[in-house]
Amino acid sequence: MRLFTRRSAAVTAAILLAVGVAVPPATAGAGPAVIDDHDSHIAPRAFDVFSSTGGTVYATDNGGFGRVYLAPGTMTTATSTVDLGPRPRTFTPTTISGSRIAMPVAGAQFDTPITQVRSCLIGTCPTLSTLTIPAGWVYAGNAEDRAVIYHKATNNLGLIGWTGGSVTNQWLMPADYSDDDEPPTARGDATGIAVSGGGDVTYVNRAAASGAGTVHYLGDGTGAVLTPTYVVWYIVGVVEPDFDQTHVYRVLRSTTEPNPTPALVRALTDAPIEDLVANDFGVAYTIPSDAGDGTSALWTMAYDGTPVQYARPLTTNALAPFLATNQILINDRLAGMPGFYKVTPGSYSGSLTGLVPVRGANTFSVGVSHGRAVYADDMTADLPLFTRTVTDGLPGPESLVTGATAGQVAISGPYVAYFRYNADPSKMDVVYGRLDGAMKTTTVPMSESGKVALSGRRVLVTGGARTRVIDAETQAVTDLGHTYAAIFGEYVAMISYDTAAVTRRNLDNGTVQTVRAAVPGCVSPCVDDDNWALAAWGHEVVYAFGHQGTVPDHVAGLWNGNTNATTAMPMLSDAEGALYTEVAYWSGLLLVARNNASVRLYDMRNAATESIVDTFAEEPFALDGNVVAWRPLSDLKAVVRDVRDFVPGHTPALRYLGGGVPTAFGTDAAPEWDARLLLSQNMTGGTLTIHSGSTSGPVVKSIPVSTLNGEISTTWDGTDGEDADVAQGTYYWTLESGGAAPAPVLRANGSSPVSGSIFVSRTALAAPSLTAPALSTDVTPSTTFPVSWTPPAGAPAGTRYRLERSINGGAFGLATTTGALSVAYGGSPGTTYRFRVAAVDPAGRIGAFSSVRTTVVPYQDNATGTVYTGSWATGSGGSFYGGSHRYSGTAGSTYTFKATGTTIWLVGTKSTNYGQFQVSIDGGAYSGLIDSYASSVQYRKVLYGVGRLSNTAHTIRVRVYGTSRRPYVGIDGVGFLR
């Protein structure tokens, strides 16, 4: 599965060029307010430059698809430009001819011809009048005093006034332009029109003596341009089979021949032209540079000269004849002073003549939460991160969060998270923390860093090869595997890339619900690599994706976890031409970005009522209960707007998102209960209530609370309503919203009131009762043995136990802290352990320690230093200590072992065929006969013991007696108390 990547502005340009004129939103409101209003560090680019005797018009990227500017008269670096508005979203550029500027309006679809043009005379700009093209005709170009239009059905070219009226001066075209999907392109002035399209070039001389004009077919070609004297164009693929060969031609505009013979200006081999302009002095053209980095090489030449390459590569093909001079205007972004330069054809360099307006910064990511917006843009090369308040859809002061991100950001209440590039290019840093505190970092593989999201203090990293949830305070990581996920509160919804199953997991208790079953017949990856979306809001999950199961399909739905019902989502189906690209869901509102460049908001509580947020926009976008944020494609600067502008009267539901809520207090480390509760919306006038006995028990104290940035910060000092200290014990808290109709605040699932318990610690708990075996072999055949205890009276829920141990008489140290009442302790042979345990209440107060219990782990029968004489055999079995024992039935055979200890235990086997033996300690006389007989087999039994020895090394020797009919003696180990 590829990283989570969505279509960038550059990738979608071809689609977005076809979008029509923006229309007002479906509901009234104050309109979107820009929150990201920085200038970019990237030098601006100019596009579609046209110059005439009246001035120069051009488009810029301006941080997005740009704006159109007019520089009246002769451009200089001091020229004040006129802003003509957003760059038209169409392949037909804004042009200037004489003093007339024409801005075409895109059709509804990519291949829809242009039927509306906005225009102005330089003296009246930026006020634009609209020309609606008559039925059957489409816009072809600007001819100064009139618009050039084309009739596909008749293959006629005609003129029409800029205020409308009848079509005049109609000419039948010699080339059949009507065969092409696109109408011809016309570049004209008051005396002539150059027409190109479909590989043919025609010139219409409007200055003919008859006044009707004459038509001259110039032959094959494209990119026809006019100079005062010439028509200039080029043709690719002049000589087969070398279709990369390009020839540039010209003819006199004053020609009287209907099909004049063009004059060759220049033949280019293996250099396809990207753009061509000309004036009466010479031509300029760009071709791909040899660097292969997307830049272009600019060549200029006088008609009677040779081509000269410009000093620097160009990053935009912005070329135009400059007014009525012999120079070419270019946009040189790599010059020491980026801007417009005048270049004389045949010259190596040019001179600065004008500046392109500052480029606006692109917004890379945006989030909103509790009246704050967070966003990252390209103000600097490091993509800084900013936050600012938003009140009623209007932005407030801005603050810098950090100077460097990787362009992905998220916010929830007081927490923010973002990606930052790691020094290792194969890794990515996830940075997160409170806006008023220190940041923490978790590093993940680059392949697992698709997008970042936040809900409360939970950070979600998803959209890559794996999904993770990170606790912003503890940095604990939950790995959710090969999934794409969305998060809200304690719930995370997941789509499995492998099976296309959709599930919802409760991060608090681990329970999993099936939203949509796995797709039969899936082979990983099952989910389509594009057009998949997921959003969660408490008990509701919105999903949409295509899959490659046994029967490939596209599915979409809104699932309710409380009822297990699924609602159809036609706005997310693939039946319509415009598909979704991303979704956000919040308290019944569904925000959808579509690949037709519209952003729409659906009120799912009101029959999925649709509101158009923007008709020319895309992700990134964000939504919470009061604010919607998105990125218009006109300039790629994030804007915000109040949700109520689209859904009047909308009141978002309040949900609990977790937080830092202690379960106890009453020690020096925590003398008060300091709690932080995170909510989905701000709340005023709420109440946190302390109860005794249960959440519905008597009220001990009521504490007024309110939220700031989605967070309640409150304390309880352990007193009641009369300010008297409450007794030690467990109390319970509940939370209620304020207002005219107070109600319990619900958990994320929308059905359970939020509550919790608090243990007030006043005194330490009593000692538990501890149990441990004297010899580990008493209870287990391994060296791991149980140590257990019973809780002291009054131990509350959440009590933990501190188990300490001493090794071979040393000081006590921590063995473990656990909430269980026993541990399986892993001992070592030949070691003596002493244990004690204390109860630790939920506030962290350590109680009294228990009495000490001692456990000896014996040496095994084959321990280093063991000496056997005579005849001994090895028996194996799971009941023997260490899995085996030594036995002998030969009289006189001995076993000898030496170690330090004050007490010695000989451990062995008893059975019906086991008999007598004798023991000697430290070389002394052998004891009387000791019998190991038993009526049934008994494993790991103490066969002999001796105590009150000095704490030094002692030797035990065992001698087999050889009892008649039951001669065997079995030795399984020996314990020394140290």
Side-chain angles (χ1 to χ4, degrees):
M1 179 60 59
R2 290 201 297 262
L3 282 180
F4 180 89
T5 55
R6 294 301 192 190
R7 188 181 52 257
S8 68
V11 174
T12 58
I15 296 175
L16 299 174
L17 290 171
V19 179
V21 180
V23 297
T27 56
V34 177
I35 55 173
D36 186 7
D37 54 2
H38 303 120
D39 293 331
S40 175
H41 76 289
I42 301 172
R45 296 186 296 173
F47 300 91
D48 302 335
V49 181
F50 290 84
S51 188
S52 75
T53 55
T56 302
V57 66
Y58 56 92
T60 73
D61 57 358
N62 197 35
F65 285 102
R67 304 186 71 79
V68 178
Y69 294 93
L70 165 67
T74 302
M75 180 190 294
T76 69
T77 55
T79 299
S80 296
T81 57
V82 179
D83 187 344
L84 299 181
R87 183 184 182 196
R89 303 183 290 274
T90 169
F91 281 132
T92 305
T94 298
T95 59
I96 185 171
S97 181
S99 295
R100 174 66 65 174
I101 297 169
M103 299 180 67
V105 177
Q109 299 295 329
F110 179 73
D111 57 355
T112 302
I114 295 168
T115 58
Q116 281 192 328
V117 185
R118 291 176 292 171
S119 70
C120 64
L121 289 171
I122 287 178
T124 65
C125 298
T127 301
L128 299 167
S129 61
T130 300
L131 166 66
T132 299
I133 309 299
W137 296 82
V138 295
Y139 178 71
N142 180 355
E144 189 172 342
D145 61 332
R146 294 176 183 274
V148 184
I149 55 179
Y150 174 72
H151 199 282
K152 185 172 183 178
T154 62
N155 197 31
N156 274 10
L157 200 73
L159 300 177
I160 187 172
W162 290 106
T163 58
S166 60
V167 181
T168 62
N169 301 84
Q170 295 188 39
W171 302 281
L172 178 65
M173 291 288 97
D176 189 3
Y177 295 115
S178 64
D179 289 342
D180 304 311
D181 292 334
E182 297 294 326
T185 298
R187 297 186 181 184
D189 54 28
T191 61
I193 306 167
V195 185
S196 61
D200 292 290
V201 176
T202 300
Y203 176 66
V204 178
N205 187 347
R206 296 178 60 195
S210 64
T214 56
V215 177
H216 306 274
Y217 178 65
L218 304 183
D220 295 343
T222 190
V225 297
L226 290 178
T227 78
T229 305
Y230 302 106
V231 182
V232 184
W233 72 97
Y234 64 92
I235 179 171
V236 179
V238 176
V239 179
E240 296 185 20
D242 187 4
F243 287 105
D244 286 333
Q245 190 180 61
T246 300
H247 284 188
V248 180
Y249 293 99
R250 68 173 174 169
V251 299
L252 290 169
R253 291 179 61 171
S254 59
T255 182
T256 58
E257 301 176 46
N259 298 298
T261 301
L264 178 64
V265 175
R266 180 67 179 169
L268 307 174
T269 302
D270 296 328
I273 286 180
E274 296 172 319
D275 201 6
L276 170 75
V277 299
N279 56 24
D280 277 354
F281 188 76
V283 298
Y285 55 87
T286 56
I287 60 176
S289 68
D290 294 335
D293 57 0
T295 60
S296 300
L298 172 66
W299 292 80
T300 66
M301 62 172 287
Y303 287 124
D304 59 354
T306 57
V308 174
Q309 186 175 358
Y310 186 68
R312 289 172 293 276
L314 300 187
T315 59
T316 174
N317 294 325
L319 312 175
F322 186 57
L323 299 175
T325 71
N326 63 356
Q327 294 169 312
I328 302 296
L329 192 66
I330 69 169
N331 176 210
D332 187 345
R333 298 175 68 235
L334 301 182
M337 176 68 74
F340 288 112
Y341 280 71
K342 293 183 294 186
V343 180
T344 301
S347 173
Y348 171 81
S349 62
S351 60
L352 179 67
T353 187
L355 299 177
V356 184
V358 174
R359 181 186 189 276
N362 285 0
T363 303
F364 281 86
S365 185
V366 61
V368 290
S369 176
H370 302 90
R372 282 196 288 190
V374 64
Y375 45 93
D377 67 18
D378 59 3
M379 177 183 177
T380 67
D382 291 326
L383 306 184
L385 176 64
F386 300 92
T387 184
R388 69 194 312 163
T389 59
V390 179
T391 304
D392 294 331
L394 298 176
E398 179 184 72
S399 299
L400 175 68
V401 177
T402 178
T405 74
Q408 271 278 342
V409 303
I411 186 171
S412 181
Y415 291 91
V416 67
Y418 56 91
F419 285 142
R420 182 180 62 203
Y421 291 114
N422 189 278
D424 183 344
S426 68
K427 298 177 181 178
M428 181 74 83
D429 289 337
V430 187
V431 185
Y432 47 87
R434 295 178 60 90
L435 283 164
D436 57 358
M439 293 290 168
K440 303 177 178 69
T441 300
T442 296
T443 301
V444 301
M446 180 65 73
S447 62
E448 300 175 13
S449 59
K451 64 177 289 189
V452 63
L454 259 175
S455 185
R457 56 189 264 186
R458 292 183 171 100
V459 182
L460 177 71
V461 181
T462 190
R466 304 189 72 78
T467 287
R468 290 177 173 84
V469 175
I470 306 170
D471 188 302
E473 293 294 339
T474 67
Q475 296 188 272
V477 177
T478 302
D479 189 337
L480 300 178
H482 194 213
T483 61
Y484 176 68
I487 192 168
F488 185 88
E490 70 267 33
Y491 292 102
V492 60
M494 297 172 286
I495 303 176
S496 168
Y497 292 142
D498 301 325
T499 67
V502 185
T503 55
R504 187 186 71 163
R505 177 174 173 177
N506 186 314
L507 294 170
D508 287 343
N509 58 34
T511 59
V512 176
Q513 289 176 274
T514 297
V515 176
R516 195 178 190 281
V519 174
C522 272
V523 176
S524 180
C526 179
V527 177
D528 288 350
D529 209 27
D530 202 1
N531 274 344
W532 33 268
L534 187 67
W537 194 83
H539 63 297
E540 294 176 284
V541 176
V542 175
Y543 61 87
F545 58 91
H547 65 75
Q548 298 301 316
T550 304
V551 180
D553 194 10
H554 180 278
V555 297
L558 169 59
W559 175 81
N560 187 313
N562 293 337
T563 63
N564 203 32
T566 299
T567 303
M569 302 287 280
M571 70 288 292
L572 297 182
S573 73
D574 62 352
E576 299 183 42
L579 295 175
Y580 63 90
T581 61
E582 185 60 281
V583 303
Y585 189 68
W586 192 277
S587 189
L589 300 181
L590 176 68
L591 188 66
V592 182
R594 303 169 70 92
N595 67 4
N596 68 347
S598 67
V599 175
R600 307 182 185 206
L601 186 69
Y602 298 89
D603 183 359
M604 302 306 297
R605 302 287 188 266
N606 188 18
T609 303
E610 179 186 83
S611 300
I612 298 176
V613 173
D614 199 327
T615 58
F616 191 54
E618 67 166 5
E619 52 188 298
F621 62 17
L623 174 71
D624 76 355
N626 294 318
V627 174
V628 58
W630 71 98
R631 183 175 70 177
L633 286 169
S634 57
D635 61 8
L636 297 186
K637 284 177 172 290
V639 298
V640 294
R641 191 165 177 186
D642 197 304
V643 164
R644 292 167 294 186
D645 291 343
F646 304 99
V647 187
H650 173 72
T651 301
L654 188 65
R655 293 289 184 268
Y656 175 63
L657 300 181
V661 186
T663 57
F665 71 99
T667 65
D668 292 339
E672 293 184 328
W673 185 68
D674 292 313
R676 290 180 170 181
L677 298 87
L678 301 172
L679 305 180
S680 64
Q681 294 296 312
N682 282 328
M683 176 185 72
T684 57
T687 303
L688 189 143
T689 305
I690 309 297
H691 305 263
S692 63
S694 70
T695 55
S696 59
V699 173
V700 174
K701 195 163 191 174
S702 294
I703 305 172
V705 295
S706 61
T707 51
L708 176 64
N709 298 320
E711 181 181 56
I712 294 173
S713 296
T714 189
T715 62
W716 179 42
D717 60 2
T719 62
D720 60 18
E722 302 298 325
D723 291 331
D725 288 342
V726 300
Q728 176 162 307
T730 300
Y731 297 82
Y732 301 86
W733 62 267
T734 59
L735 182 63
E736 195 172 61
S737 63
V745 175
L746 302 180
R747 292 188 177 274
N749 61 15
S751 59
S752 304
V754 61
S755 63
S757 62
I758 313 170
F759 178 75
V760 179
S761 176
R762 301 294 190 195
T763 60
L765 294 173
S769 177
L770 179 66
T771 300
L775 288 174
S776 65
T777 50
D778 290 345
V779 292
T780 175
S782 73
T783 57
T784 298
F785 54 91
V787 180
S788 62
W789 51 90
T790 56
T799 297
R800 298 180 65 80
Y801 297 90
R802 178 183 177 90
L803 178 68
E804 294 185 348
R805 83 283 184 258
S806 162
I807 299 175
N808 294 332
F812 279 93
L814 178 66
T816 188
T817 300
T818 177
L821 295 176
S822 65
V823 297
Y825 191 86
S828 297
T831 305
T832 298
Y833 299 93
R834 292 171 176 84
F835 297 99
R836 64 184 186 183
V837 66
V840 183
D841 70 24
R845 192 190 302 272
I846 300 175
F849 278 97
S850 66
S851 300
V852 174
R853 293 290 180 265
T854 301
T855 299
V856 173
V857 181
Y859 293 96
Q860 294 188 355
D861 58 273
N862 58 353
T864 300
T866 302
V867 177
Y868 289 96
T869 65
S871 178
W872 293 83
T874 300
S876 300
S879 297
F880 295 119
Y881 178 47
S884 66
H885 80 150
R886 295 290 184 97
Y887 65 96
S888 176
T890 302
S893 295
T894 64
Y895 155 81
T896 304
F897 186 76
K898 183 178 182 180
T900 298
T902 59
T903 301
I904 303 174
W905 293 273
L906 181 67
V907 178
T909 306
K910 290 186 174 183
S911 190
T912 56
N913 58 346
Y914 280 63
Q916 296 165 314
F917 61 92
Q918 295 172 298
V919 177
S920 169
I921 301 297
D922 294 335
Y926 279 106
S927 66
L929 293 175
I930 303 168
D931 205 337
S932 59
Y933 170 82
S935 60
S936 62
V937 64
Q938 298 177 11
Y939 299 101
R940 306 184 314 280
K941 292 298 180 181
V942 175
L943 304 181
Y944 168 83
V946 60
R948 298 184 179 181
L949 302 175
S950 61
N951 192 22
T952 58
H954 298 280
T955 300
I956 179 173
R957 177 174 289 112
V958 176
R959 182 173 65 185
V960 178
Y961 178 72
T963 308
S964 176
R965 292 190 299 277
R966 50 185 186 92
Y968 296 104
V969 174
I971 296 175
D972 208 0
V974 60
F976 281 72
L977 175 66
R978 301 179 65 180

